[in-house]
Amino acid sequence: MADYRLETSWRPVEGGFGRLTVTLFNLSAEPLSGFSLAYTSETRVADKHVCDGGSLKRQVAHFHEFLPSEGLSVPPGGHWRFAVEGLSREPKHVTAGVKSAYLTLADGRHVPVDFGGLMLEGRDGGVAPPLLPPGRVQEPYSLLPWPLALALKAGELPVVLYPTGKTRPNAIKAFSLVLALYQRLYPADKVPFSLSAVEGGRAIRFVTESSIAESAYELRFTAHEIVLSSADAAGRHYGLISLAQLMHGARADRENFKFPNFGTIADQPRYDWRGCHLDVARQFYPVADVMRLIDILAWNKLNIFHWHLTDDEAWRLEIKAYPALTEIGARRGPDEVLVPQLGDGADPRSGHYTQEDVRRIVAHAASLGVEVVPEIDVPGHSTATLLSLPALVDGQEAPDSYRAVQGYPNNALNPAVEFTYEFLGKVFDEMVALFPGDYIHIGGDEVANGAWLSSPLCKALMERERLAGMADLQSYFLKRVKALLSERGRRLAGWNEASLGGGVDRDGTLLMAWEKPAVGIELAQQGYDVVMTPGQAYYLDMAQAEAWDEPGASWAGHAPPEHSYAYEAEGELPDGLREKMRGIQACIWTENFLSRAYFNRLVFPRLPAVAEAAWTPLERKDWDRFAAIVRMWPML
């Protein structure tokens, strides 16, 4: 237990975003004076504010440092309280409060401060409803996502499944990969597969059938064997996962789930792009956690891992040409170049992925049919980059001439600094050697209005190229970035704002519609290939209910699991534009994800819900069946 504790509460105030009250308790045996209090919170203090009982010394995005009134001494057992009116937004949930805190004492030491959730004053916060119904099944088979077609008769549960004696080596390897996947996900459970024949088991015979669609499979159950037919390795892989799922459910919940004795399953994915994104810039996830998440994606038949490797808060990818990116840009702390952000306390925190780490993760994903799409977020969200490599900055630009929506000043790479393109070229050179997939995601989102307009270099560029403003400058920048990628045999993926100012050449470009569903239709109409990932349904950091005590973010409202499951991403997309929609994707933004419990609470069961929406046709979805099955599914 720390010697100090911080408690915060909020109450609404007419005509504003409310009043935040902060109370610091001195639990130590010594009086406290000559100190400052630093905390991080998504409930940010605005430039125009009134502070009663203290003063704001410094703020950088979510980092706040407050000073007490001059001469204040807090006795043992006493407290210091101050209140602020003038916030950047109204908090909606308990998790909108403090994420980390520390004191800087008179001698310069930084000491930790305990804290709790944001308390709501003066009104009832509501009661959160159950996130899942009890669930019920009409067909007793644990398959998720649910298949395209199924006609089965339940029978005796086999001891284990094993390949026939004439199985080819590549099928044996595929079989063993899914067996190893199951053992990682359910290490305490009996394995569903054996490489050798076992009395009481059921044999699997593999058949290559060219008439079956790409990534599709068929399973035929007879009294003596199971026949798995597919045209390619992906279909065989998904068929094996389905068999492992059937075995797992029949063992884990024998009352509700059975193993089929006769009949068929014919299955194929609804969309080609079935993705999940993970932000590792705000919170760092060790290699083992990333590989565990990829295992979970594979179990849910998702095939894209979108890896958000850089943002304002950190640069997480080793680039040998620029070691400062991780030496400086992957480290945050009270005395570091990057100040603490959400979750960072008195001790510095750091973390990045070496290129060897990346090779391991990419190879692991590939073995499970998952493609890794790396993201380097530019030109915005680049605070960590700019502080690591000051040569990227136009030194004549005023240092606080614009701010991003998260509060970061001057956080965008400058399109008129020629070193920007040399830098990105060398970064892409190293990335293409690490990531063999078609796409590199370059972000392109949330560049602040007014960005670059006070940069003398940008003013000269605008005049020379006849560019009208920020959006035109971004389009100029992204066209050059796309050319850099094309030279290296890669395609450009980005967020929907990459279309601003005329965007980039549509050929080979994939954009993700996140702000609202209608944006995806607009992008398709403009000729872009689109992945739908609207915050209102597929952002897994959003709270799952409106109640104050339900954890999560709130800018896109709240998204109960049933909404994420039932949401139809195609929406009102005209039939003529359906071919432009590549698929759907869940996004895990980690500003608030400070614990494994929090991660699992928000990501599950919504990630499997999005997975079923990506695989299963609308008419085959059933919320009650999903709720019954997903309880047995793995978490991080």
Side-chain angles (χ1 to χ4, degrees), residues 426-481:
K426 290 183 178 179
V427 169
F428 294 151
D429 284 339
E430 298 191 28
M431 291 181 71
V432 298
L434 297 170
F435 300 99
D438 287 339
Y439 289 97
I440 290 180
H441 199 295
I442 52 73
D445 61 313
E446 294 188 322
V447 175
N449 288 329
W452 308 307
L453 299 186
S454 67
S455 161
L457 289 177
C458 277
K459 289 178 181 178
L461 174 64
M462 292 168 68
E463 185 174 343
R464 186 170 68 250
E465 297 289 335
R466 298 183 179 179
L467 305 175
M470 182 278 291
D472 284 5
L473 279 167
Q474 173 165 295
S475 177
Y476 168 89
F477 169 85
L478 291 179
K479 286 173 181 174
R480 292 191 63 175
V481 169

Side-chain angles (χ1 to χ4, degrees), residues 168-215:
R168 293 181 176 179
N170 60 353
I172 292 286
K173 184 173 182 180
F175 192 80
S176 63
L177 281 168
V178 175
L179 171 58
L181 170 66
Y182 185 89
Q183 289 182 288
R184 293 193 298 272
L185 294 175
Y186 298 104
D189 291 3
K190 183 180 177 182
V191 295
F193 297 161
S194 169
L195 294 185
S196 57
V198 175
E199 186 176 350
R202 187 86 61 86
I204 301 175
R205 181 161 58 91
F206 295 89
V207 174
T208 300
E209 179 56 70
S210 60
S211 63
I212 295 177
E214 182 181 341
S215 298

